[in-house]
Amino acid sequence: MKVKLLFILFTVLLLQGCSGFHLRDSADLSGKYKKIQLLGVPHEKALAEALELAIEEAGGDVVDQANTKIKISNVREGKRVVAYTSERKARVYLLFLKLNYIISLPHDGEGQSQSALNQRINLDKTFIYDANFALGKAEEEVQIREKLYEEAARLILLSLKTSR
């Protein structure tokens, strides 16, 4: 009986110290990736704000010159109608965000620069429009766009964290 209790106690203590589980976005950037230069993103765009915030939350800094670079290109965003009402009015829209990015990493120990391949992000979200609630729907559309920017920033940082 004491052996069984001791085994259960030992198992609980072992599981408590297990560090294999991480919450979403909880991992920090390592030392050589803490300084990041963003290229190709206008600073007044919401995408730039989302990227800067995600980098700061991960323990990094956005600077003007750094060995680690994230270059954003071919940013396209918009909405298109995907469903109509019986009166032929737009009912459901698809909001989308598409972009390419390249992550240039610092030199490795052999003096060679490593670069991730040019990668593409395609994000979309459906949006139901109701003319009776136009003001609220406009605000909802803005919030959906912000979520698309945040998700794109999260995916880029995840790619940076896994490209080590």
Side-chain angles (χ1 to χ4, degrees):
M1 183 68 172
K2 287 185 179 184
V3 173
K4 196 175 191 179
L5 183 61
L6 187 61
F7 178 73
I8 291 172
L9 181 63
F10 179 72
T11 304
V12 168
L13 289 173
L14 186 66
L15 289 175
Q16 184 180 11
C18 180
S19 62
F21 176 76
H22 296 284
L23 294 174
R24 186 174 178 175
D25 293 331
S26 63
D28 290 334
L29 294 172
S30 69
K32 63 181 179 178
Y33 301 111
K34 285 197 178 276
K35 302 275 188 212
I36 298 173
Q37 180 181 3
L38 292 178
L39 303 169
V41 182
H43 289 288
E44 69 274 2
K45 294 286 266 182
L47 177 60
E49 292 173 13
L51 271 168
E52 289 174 8
L53 182 62
I55 290 168
E56 289 171 6
E57 286 178 354
D61 290 316
V62 177
V63 295
D64 292 333
Q65 287 292 99
N67 289 333
T68 303
K69 297 174 177 43
I70 299 174
K71 182 178 181 184
I72 308 292
S73 62
N74 299 329
V75 178
R76 287 187 29 225
E77 59 181 301
K79 74 178 175 182
R80 60 186 161 113
V81 179
V82 293
Y84 293 92
T85 64
S86 58
E87 293 88 33
R88 307 260 322 136
K89 293 181 181 177
R91 175 73 175 145
V92 180
Y93 290 93
L94 181 75
L95 301 174
F96 64 89
L97 173 65
K98 299 177 181 189
L99 59 91
N100 292 344
Y101 68 96
I102 298 173
I103 298 174
S104 298
L105 301 173
H107 299 290
D108 61 10
E110 300 167 2
Q112 296 178 352
S113 178
Q114 306 170 359
S115 278
L117 295 174
N118 188 2
Q119 298 183 37
R120 180 131 182 102
I121 292 179
N122 291 313
L123 299 171
D124 57 46
K125 178 83 173 145
T126 56
F127 169 69
I128 299 173
Y129 180 76
D130 186 353
N132 295 327
F133 304 104
L135 224 53
K137 289 299 181 176
E139 180 62 28
E140 183 181 353
E141 183 177 342
V142 169
Q143 290 176 354
I144 290 172
R145 287 194 188 283
E146 289 174 358
K147 293 294 182 194
L148 289 175
Y149 299 140
E150 290 170 7
E151 182 66 13
R154 188 185 73 79
L155 290 172
I156 291 169
L157 278 185
L158 183 62
S159 181
L160 175 63
K161 290 175 189 178
T162 59
S163 65
R164 301 176 193 180

